C-alpha cells in the first residue's frame, strides 16, 4: 500500500523524499525546535536527515508508523513534520514539529487535525496519545485545538535531561465509527 497524500485548506501532507533532507536538517536542526521535542537529536549531525528519511517508507510498509512532510503546496516548501507512531491495537502516538519561520501561523494545528482524522478513519485507531514539554505552551494549544484532553504528567529523558511532559489523548468519537464501517 502506498502512503496517501493528505490535503488541507493550506497544506499538503506527503511522504518525505530524499530531496527534503537539506531542509529537514535546517529546520529540525534548529535548537529552538529540538529543545521542544524529545525525538530530535542535538546536535543534528550531517547525514541524520538522509538516514531518517530512508527509514520512513519501510516503516510505513510494515505498519509501524506514518510520517508526513508538512508542506505549502503552492511553493513546494517543507515547513515541518507530523506523524502517528507506536501503533498497538487501536492506539497510536502523535508527534509533530514545525520549523521556526512557520511558528504562529496555524500550520501545526491544521496538520495535526488532518493526521488525526486519517488515524481514526483510515488506520482504524480508537485513541491517539500525545505529549508535550510542560514549557511548550504552543504545542499544548495545538493539541487542545485538535480535541486532545490533558491526562497527566510523566518524566522522560530528553537530550540528556529529565523533562516533565504533559500527557494528552483524544478518543475517537464512537458515532464516527459507525459512519465508516
Amino acid at each position: 500500500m502506498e502512503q496517501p497524500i493528505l490535503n488541507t485548506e493550506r497544506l499538503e501532507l506527503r511522504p518525505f523524499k530524499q530531496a527534503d533532507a537539506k531542509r529537514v536538517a535546517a529546520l529540525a536542526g534548529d535548537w529552538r525546535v529540538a529543545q521542544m521535542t524529545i525525538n530530535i537529536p542535538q546536535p543534528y549531525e550531517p547525514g541524520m536527515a538522509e538516514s531518517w528519511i530512508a527509514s520512513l517508507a519501510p516503516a510505513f510498509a510494515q505498519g509501524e508508523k506514518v510520517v508526513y512532510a508538512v508542506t505549502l503546496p503552492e511553493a513546494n516548501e517543507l515547513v515541518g513534520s507530523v506523524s502517528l507512531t507506536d501503533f498497538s491495537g487501536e492506539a497510536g502516538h502523535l508527534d509533530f514539529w514545525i520549523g521556526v519561520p512557520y511558528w504562529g501561523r496555524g500550520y501545526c494545528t491544521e496538520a495535526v487535525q488532518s493526521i488525526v482524522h486519517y488515524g481514526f478513519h483510515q488506520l482504524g485507531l480508537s485513541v491517539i496519545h500525545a505529549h508535550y514539554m510542560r514549557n511548550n505552551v504552543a504545542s499544548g494549544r495545538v493539541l487542545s485545538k485538535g480535541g486532545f484532553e490533558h491526562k497527566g504528567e510523566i518524566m522522560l529523558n530528553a537530550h540528556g535531561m529529565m523533562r516533565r511532559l504533559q500527557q494528552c489523548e483524544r478518543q475517537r468519537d464512537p458515532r464516527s465509527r459507525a459512519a465508516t464501517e
Side-chain angles (χ1 to χ4, degrees), residues 52-72:
W52 177 69
I53 291 169
S55 75
L56 300 178
F60 177 78
Q62 294 172 10
E64 296 171 0
K65 59 180 147 183
V66 57
V67 181
Y68 281 102
V70 178
T71 66
L72 301 175

Side-chain angles (χ1 to χ4, degrees), residues 47-114:
M48 285 182 165
E50 291 84 354
S51 295
W52 177 69
I53 291 169
S55 75
L56 300 178
F60 177 78
Q62 294 172 10
E64 296 171 0
K65 59 180 147 183
V66 57
V67 181
Y68 281 102
V70 178
T71 66
L72 301 175
E74 291 179 11
N76 194 26
E77 187 174 353
L78 175 68
V79 302
S81 176
V82 63
S83 61
L84 290 171
T85 62
D86 301 329
F87 302 144
S88 68
E90 294 186 346
H93 184 84
L94 172 70
D95 290 305
F96 54 87
W97 61 265
I98 297 291
V100 173
Y102 309 99
W103 287 1
R105 298 183 188 185
Y107 296 146
C108 196
T109 299
E110 201 170 317
V112 163
Q113 290 171 346
S114 181

Side-chain angles (χ1 to χ4, degrees), residues 9 15 20 28 31 33 35 42 50 52 57 60 69 81 89 93 105 114 120 123 138 152 169 171 179:
E9 184 177 328
D20 296 322
W31 174 246
V33 172
Q35 74 177 343
Q42 277 297 317
E50 291 84 354
W52 177 69
F60 177 78
S81 176
H93 184 84
R105 298 183 188 185
S114 181
F120 288 148
L123 299 178
E169 75 175 31
Q171 299 280 333

